[in-house]
C-alpha cells in the first residue's frame, strides 16, 4: 500500500506543468506511432466486446463456454508469430467478442436495474484509464515498473481469497473487499502495463496486438469491478427508498 500512496504523492508533487509535458520527448516517434496503433486496436477490441455483450442480451449466449472460448482464443493468439498480424488481430477481436459475451449477464442485469449505471461505469473506467495511462506516459521511463511485483502479489491474494470464498463461503462484505482490492490492483496495472509497453517498444517489441490485449484485459477488469460497486450502491439506495416509503 505504501507503494500505491507514493505513486499518488509523486503525481501530486510533480509537476503537471511544462517540465512534465516535456517527458513526452522520452517517447521516440516510432514508439508514439506504435502507441497509436495499440490504442486504436484497443478501441476495436472494446467495440467487439460491446457487440459480444449485445449478442448475449439477444440470445443469452454468455457463460462458462464463452469464457473458455475467450481463453482459448488468447492462447491461440500467443502461439502465432507476430508477423501474422491479420490472423492475430482477428483472434484478438474474437477473444474480445467472447469476453463481452461472458460479461453480458452482468451488463444485462445493469440494464434491467438502471441503464444509467452502465453508462456511468463505462465513462468512469474510460476516464480512469485515460488518467492513469497518461500519468504513466508523462512519468520518467521505468519509474513505476517496480510496482509490478506488488501487483502480482495482489493478484495472488485475489486468487487465494476467491478460492477460500468458493470452498468456505463468504459474506457480502468479504466479496466487496475482493472487488475493491481487485479494482486497486488492476488500476495499478493500467500504469505498470502502459510503462511496460513503452519500454518494450523502445527495445524493439512493436507487437501492437499483444500490447492491446494487455490493456484490454486491464480495462475490462476495472470496468467489471466499477460496475459491480455502482450496482450495489444503486441497490442499497433503492432499498433505503423503499424503507422510507414504508415508514411514511
Amino acid at each position: 500500500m505504501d507503494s500505491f500512496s507514493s505513486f499518488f504523492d509523486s503525481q501530486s508533487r510533480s509537476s503537471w506543468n511544462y517540465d512534465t509535458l516535456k517527458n513526452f520527448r522520452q517517447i521516440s516517434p516510432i514508439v508514439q506511432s506504435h502507441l497509436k496503433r495499440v490504442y486504436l486496436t484497443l478501441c476495436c477490441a472494446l467495440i467487439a466486446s460491446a457487440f459480444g455483450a449485445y449478442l448475449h442480451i439477444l440470445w443469452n449466449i454468455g457463460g462458462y463456454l464463452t469464457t473458455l472460448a475467450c481463453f482459448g482464443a488468447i492462447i491461440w493468439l500467443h502461439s502465432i508469430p507476430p508477423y501474422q498480424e491479420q490472423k492475430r488481430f482477428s483472434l484478438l477481436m474474437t477473444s474480445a467478442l467472447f469476453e463481452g459475451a461472458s460479461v453480458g449477464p452482468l451488463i444485462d442485469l445493469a440494464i434491467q436495474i438502471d441503464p444509467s449505471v452502465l453508462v456511468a461505469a463505462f465513462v468512469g473506467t474510460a476516464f480512469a484509464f485515460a488518467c492513469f495511462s497518461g500519468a504513466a506516459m508523462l512519468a520518467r521511463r521505468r519509474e513505476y515498473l517496480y510496482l509490478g511485483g506488488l501487483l502480482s502479489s495482489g493478484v495472488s491474494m485475489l486468487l487465494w481469497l476467491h478460492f477460500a470464498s468458493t470452498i468456505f463461503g463468504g459474506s457480502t462484505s468479504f466479496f466487496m473487499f475482493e472487488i475493491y482490492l481487485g479494482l486497486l490492483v488492476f488500476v495499478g496495472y493500467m500504469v505498470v502495463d502502459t510503462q511496460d509497453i513503452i519500454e518494450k517498444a523502445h527495445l524493439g517489441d512493436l507487437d501492437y496486438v499483444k500490447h492491446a490485449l494487455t490493456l484490454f484485459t486491464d480495462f475490462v477488469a476495472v470496468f467489471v469491478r466499477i460496475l459491480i460497486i455502482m450496482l450495489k450502491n444503486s441497490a442499497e439506495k433503492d432499498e433505503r427508498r423503499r424503507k422510507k416509503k414504508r415508514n411514511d
Side-chain angles (χ1 to χ4, degrees):
M1 294 297 179
D2 292 339
S3 299
F4 279 109
S5 60
S6 66
F7 165 71
F8 289 108
D9 289 343
S10 64
Q11 290 305 312
S12 59
R13 275 195 311 268
S14 79
S15 13
W16 289 102
N17 52 31
Y18 178 69
D19 289 335
T20 302
L21 294 176
K22 287 193 296 184
N23 286 333
F24 273 123
R25 295 177 184 174
Q26 299 178 33
I27 304 177
S28 66
I30 293 176
V31 176
Q32 290 180 22
S33 176
H34 172 67
L35 289 175
K36 290 177 183 177
R37 297 184 75 184
V38 169
Y39 286 113
L40 180 60
T41 306
L42 172 62
C43 290
C44 293
L46 291 175
I47 293 172
S49 184
F51 183 66
Y54 178 69
L55 291 179
H56 168 79
I57 294 172
L58 288 180
W59 296 314
N60 194 30
I61 61 174
Y64 290 112
L65 289 179
T66 55
T67 302
L68 290 174
C70 176
F71 281 119
I74 291 174
I75 293 171
W76 191 3
L77 187 156
H78 282 289
S79 68
I80 296 175
Y83 62 83
Q84 297 184 16
E85 291 185 10
Q86 194 168 17
K87 188 174 183 179
R88 298 174 85 245
F89 181 85
S90 300
L91 283 171
L92 173 60
M93 295 302 109
T94 302
S95 64
L97 186 142
F98 283 130
E99 178 69 20
S102 301
V103 181
L106 179 63
I107 292 177
D108 192 19
L109 177 64
I111 292 174
Q112 293 177 23
I113 294 176
D114 186 358
S116 64
V117 171
L118 179 62
V119 176
F122 181 82
V123 171
T125 305
F127 182 76
F129 184 86
C131 289
F132 285 98
S133 292
M137 291 180 189
L138 291 172
R140 292 187 300 274
R141 282 177 55 186
R142 300 184 295 275
E143 183 174 2
Y144 298 118
L145 292 182
Y146 75 95
L147 286 175
L150 178 64
L151 295 173
S152 297
S153 299
V155 171
S156 298
M157 186 183 300
L158 285 172
L159 292 174
W160 280 110
L161 287 174
H162 183 71
F163 177 75
S165 63
T166 302
I167 300 299
F168 303 106
S171 61
T172 303
S173 58
F174 186 79
F175 172 74
M176 292 309 298
F177 173 75
E178 283 188 65
I179 293 298
Y180 279 104
L181 177 61
L183 178 61
L184 182 63
V185 167
F186 285 105
V187 163
Y189 267 120
M190 286 182 174
V191 178
V192 173
D193 286 337
T194 301
Q195 281 211 326
D196 186 51
I197 288 168
I198 292 172
E199 192 59 30
K200 286 180 178 177
H202 276 289
L203 295 174
D205 182 359
L206 300 177
D207 187 352
Y208 70 93
V209 175
K210 181 180 69 177
H211 295 165
L213 174 62
T214 300
L215 295 180
F216 172 75
T217 303
D218 296 339
F219 191 99
V220 173
V222 171
F223 169 72
V224 166
R225 285 160 177 81
I226 290 178
L227 183 56
I228 290 173
I229 292 170
M230 295 186 72
L231 285 174
K232 184 176 182 297
N233 292 339
S234 178
E236 289 176 349
K237 287 180 181 178
D238 290 340
E239 182 64 24
R240 287 196 297 267
R241 194 178 297 115
R242 284 194 294 267
K243 286 183 179 179
K244 186 176 180 181
K245 285 183 178 179
R246 286 198 299 268
N247 292 333
D248 294 341

